[in-house]
């Protein structure tokens, strides 16, 4: 796991590094930056960013916006952003860039440990998710389709249509079997649809919009159960688009 600590206050920067080291997480690489400009100039993709919103030249807020823009353009996984600040007023900016948490200086060691452990759990879960796949039979061959690339699965007569980041795949299969196999990550929002929870962009009482812009029917009788499962998924995994 690669972690970036960016703060133009050297003492604050070193304090965060010392707190990370105390967590004794294996295989962690910490890279420090003395300002937002330095971080953006030597751009790397980190799993976790610690940013001070009040940095001079380029603020942590602007750095976070550019991080999110790059990840959106490259369609890469969202990093976890944690703001470390002297003022609570930046909490609303944290929402704007989907920050994971903000910590108030001087950072309390117990609070830091709780936030860092939850962040580490999310990164680990996201990495594990990228390895999962299903095998789809197509033209006599078994094709590996990674779950991270699937928006949703649609039933069409005796076939299933898998909508992915690379297009669609058709195969013979049963939605009931896929629903059992993908339970906890996908939700059967309608008899015709299995939606990937990570790919949900928004929803209302009767519609789910996925990240590729498609709109799926959400059966009204399933709305309450869907909301409960979606909130549970967001709490356990945290990798969601809303």
């Amino acid at each position: 796991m690669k972690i970036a600590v960016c703060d133009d206050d050297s003492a604050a920067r070193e304090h965060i590094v010392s707190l990370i080291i105390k967590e004794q997480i294996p295989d962690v690489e910490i890279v420090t930056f003395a300002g937002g400009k330095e971080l953006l100039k030597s751009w790397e993709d980190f799993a976790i960013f610690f940013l001070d919103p009040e940095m001079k030249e380029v603020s942590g807020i602007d750095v976070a916006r550019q991080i999110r823009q790059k990840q959106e353009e490259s369609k890469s996984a969202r990093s976890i952003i944690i703001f470390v600040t002297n003022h609570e007023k930046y909490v609303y900016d944290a929402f704007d860039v989907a920050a994971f948490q903000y910590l108030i200086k001087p950072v309390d060691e117990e609070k830091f440990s709780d936030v860092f452990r939850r962040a580490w759990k999310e990164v680990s879960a996201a990495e594990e998710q990228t390895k999962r796949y299903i095998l789809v039979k197509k033209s006599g061959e078994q094709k590996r389709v990674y779950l991270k690339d699937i928006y949703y699965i649609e039933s069409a007569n005796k076939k299933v249509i898998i909508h992915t980041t690379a297009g669609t795949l058709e195969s013979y299969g049963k939605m009931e079997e896929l629903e059992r196999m993908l339970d906890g990550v996908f939700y059967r929002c309608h008899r015709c649809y299995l939606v990937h929870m990570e790919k949900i962009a928004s929803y209302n009482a009767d519609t789910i919009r996925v990240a590729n812009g498609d709109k799926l029917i959400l059966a009204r009788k399933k709305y309450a159960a869907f909301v409960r499962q979606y909130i549970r998924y967001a709490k356990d995994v945290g990798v969601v688009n809303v």
Side-chain angles (χ1 to χ4, degrees):
M1 183 195 299
K2 295 190 73 172
I3 299 174
V5 179
C6 186
D7 196 318
D8 54 10
D9 180 337
S10 61
R13 197 167 61 243
E14 290 168 9
H15 185 215
I16 294 297
V17 170
S18 70
L19 291 175
I20 296 171
I21 292 171
K22 281 185 180 180
E23 293 301 319
Q24 297 183 327
I25 301 295
D27 302 319
V28 167
E29 180 184 348
I30 307 168
V31 183
T32 61
F33 298 93
K37 192 174 182 179
E38 181 184 338
L39 187 155
L40 293 173
K41 186 177 179 180
S42 59
W43 173 259
E44 286 187 71
D45 199 9
F46 293 90
I48 301 175
F49 289 87
F50 287 92
L51 304 173
D52 180 357
E54 300 174 279
M55 291 185 293
K56 299 177 178 65
E57 289 191 313
V58 182
S59 73
I61 300 296
D62 289 334
V63 171
R65 289 195 180 106
Q66 292 192 51
I67 289 169
R68 291 296 184 232
Q69 184 178 344
K70 272 182 173 286
Q71 291 172 345
E72 182 83 14
E73 290 171 353
S74 62
K75 296 183 180 178
S76 57
R78 282 186 171 187
S79 300
I80 285 179
I81 294 174
I82 299 172
F83 285 128
V84 185
T85 175
N86 286 308
H87 304 288
E88 291 187 9
K89 65 181 180 180
Y90 293 102
V91 63
Y92 297 108
D93 294 302
F95 283 124
D96 288 343
V97 293
F100 179 77
Q101 183 63 277
Y102 68 96
L103 297 167
I104 300 297
K105 296 178 182 179
V107 178
D108 176 76
E109 187 170 334
E110 188 175 333
K111 175 69 173 177
F112 179 90
S113 182
D114 173 64
V115 170
F116 183 80
R117 286 281 169 173
R118 287 192 290 110
W120 176 80
K121 182 181 176 182
E122 285 201 12
V123 170
S124 300
E127 287 182 353
E128 190 61 32
Q129 180 80 349
T130 65
K131 301 173 185 176
R132 294 186 63 186
Y133 63 87
I134 57 174
L135 289 172
V136 178
K137 193 171 184 179
K138 180 73 174 176
S139 302
E141 295 182 343
Q142 296 284 352
K143 182 178 176 63
R144 183 181 294 187
V145 181
Y146 287 93
L147 301 193
K148 66 181 178 64
D149 296 328
I150 301 174
Y151 291 111
Y152 64 97
I153 301 171
E154 179 182 4
S155 67
N157 297 320
K158 294 182 180 180
K159 290 185 176 183
V160 292
I161 304 171
I162 303 171
H163 297 257
T164 77
T165 54
T168 59
L169 283 170
E170 288 190 19
S171 179
Y172 288 99
K174 295 181 179 179
M175 290 288 276
E176 289 74 18
E177 292 178 0
L178 288 167
E179 183 179 9
R180 285 193 297 272
M181 188 189 308
L182 302 173
D183 183 47
V185 181
F186 284 67
Y187 186 79
R188 186 85 175 268
C189 60
H190 183 269
R191 62 184 177 82
C192 294
Y193 299 114
L194 267 171
V195 63
H196 191 171
M197 303 289 260
E198 180 187 332
K199 303 297 186 182
I200 294 173
S202 63
Y203 65 85
N204 57 33
D206 56 18
T207 305
I208 294 174
R209 184 173 64 84
V210 291
N212 70 344
D214 289 355
K215 293 182 179 180
L216 313 182
I217 299 170
L218 172 57
R220 287 186 176 274
K221 64 181 180 180
K222 292 194 170 190
Y223 177 73
F226 161 74
V227 172
R228 285 195 298 271
Q229 186 159 331
Y230 186 64
I231 291 173
R232 190 180 307 120
Y233 176 86
K235 183 179 180 181
D236 291 344
V237 182
V239 187
V240 293
N241 291 317
V242 292

